[in-house]
Amino acid sequence: GINAEYGWKVVDVLECSFDRWFSRFQSLTFPSVLIPLEEDFLSYLEEDGIYLPKEGFPKVQEWDCESDGEDWDDGEEMQTREFPELERKLQNAIEELGGWVFPKLNWSSPKDAVWMSVEGNLRCSSPSDIFRLLKSSDFINHDLYHPFDDCEDFKSAHELSIGEQKEQKENKKEREEKEEENKK
């Protein structure tokens, strides 16, 4: 890959992350809102299938009179996933940015999932539009789980298992809560 070809290190890739450079170049790029993704949403992105928030499903407009109805109801509830806090943040950002947005993670946009868009582009006007593109994108998967694969120092930077990383996050959160209690 390109990272190995140029001898990139994990720190080099991190410096190219949107959240690292945006504040420095904000006046030269598109208006943007940074929204951290919740752990449960990241887990959702890993799951098979596309389950959108209830508001994201298209409404059935007409019943096909020629259909015998066998395909309409198999007795199962349609699965949905809800992320109310993330949906609220996304909706606020969409409104703040003029009614539509171009979704992007740290390095990539879901441009490989444009085929999932109703309009055939990356223009999103609702959280469900964003969820659908992110969920369908291999580029986004790379951003989340493989950004350092080609870095020459990837092994040393990625020695901690996912469980150990979660444990570190939990310990940090506990320390911060204790510090907050001590201030009171």
Side-chain angles (χ1 to χ4, degrees):
I2 191 168
N3 294 349
E5 184 178 328
Y6 291 103
W8 285 20
K9 298 184 185 276
V10 170
V11 69
D12 299 323
V13 173
L14 286 172
E15 285 302 314
C16 296
S17 178
F18 185 80
D19 62 327
R20 298 274 177 105
W21 63 259
F22 176 70
S23 62
R24 288 182 232 157
F25 300 105
Q26 189 170 358
S27 65
L28 303 172
T29 189
F30 301 104
S32 301
V33 175
L34 300 175
I35 300 173
L37 298 178
E38 304 163 358
E39 288 296 323
D40 59 336
F41 184 74
L42 294 174
S43 295
Y44 158 74
L45 291 177
E46 286 184 75
E47 296 170 5
D48 288 336
I50 298 179
Y51 309 116
L52 298 175
K54 289 179 184 177
E55 67 85 15
F57 288 104
K59 301 202 178 359
V60 177
Q61 295 179 353
E62 291 183 28
W63 176 270
D64 181 359
C65 296
E66 295 178 25
S67 170
D68 60 6
E70 289 179 28
D71 297 334
W72 284 88
D73 186 11
D74 59 6
E76 293 181 25
E77 286 285 317
M78 185 175 289
Q79 289 184 319
T80 62
R81 292 292 304 266
E82 295 190 26
F83 308 98
E85 184 64 19
L86 179 58
E87 289 176 51
R88 184 188 59 74
K89 289 177 183 177
L90 289 170
Q91 190 59 49
N92 289 343
I94 290 167
E95 290 169 11
E96 178 183 330
L97 295 171
W100 65 272
V101 297
F102 171 85
K104 179 179 179 5
L105 291 189
N106 288 338
W107 297 280
S108 305
S109 68
K111 62 186 174 185
D112 61 321
V114 72
W115 59 275
M116 287 293 293
S117 169
V118 174
E119 295 181 16
N121 58 41
L122 297 178
R123 187 176 173 148
C124 296
S125 59
S126 72
S128 62
D129 290 347
I130 296 169
F131 292 171
R132 185 173 36 256
L133 290 176
L134 294 180
K135 183 72 171 154
S136 304
S137 175
D138 288 332
F139 289 178
I140 295 309
N141 182 290
H142 184 271
D143 267 20
L144 294 173
Y145 306 108
H146 305 285
F148 311 115
D149 284 0
D150 293 329
C151 294
E152 62 183 29
D153 63 342
F154 174 66
K155 297 290 184 216
S156 63
H158 194 66
E159 286 177 347
L160 291 177
S161 70
I162 298 216
E164 291 169 322
Q165 291 175 24
K166 285 183 180 179
E167 185 178 323
Q168 278 190 349
K169 285 181 184 177
E170 289 170 4
N171 290 341
K172 180 181 177 187
K173 184 178 179 182
E174 287 175 15
R175 282 193 312 270
E176 289 171 352
E177 288 171 355
K178 285 180 183 177
E179 289 174 8
E180 193 64 34
E181 286 178 21
N182 290 337
K183 289 180 183 178
K184 293 178 181 179

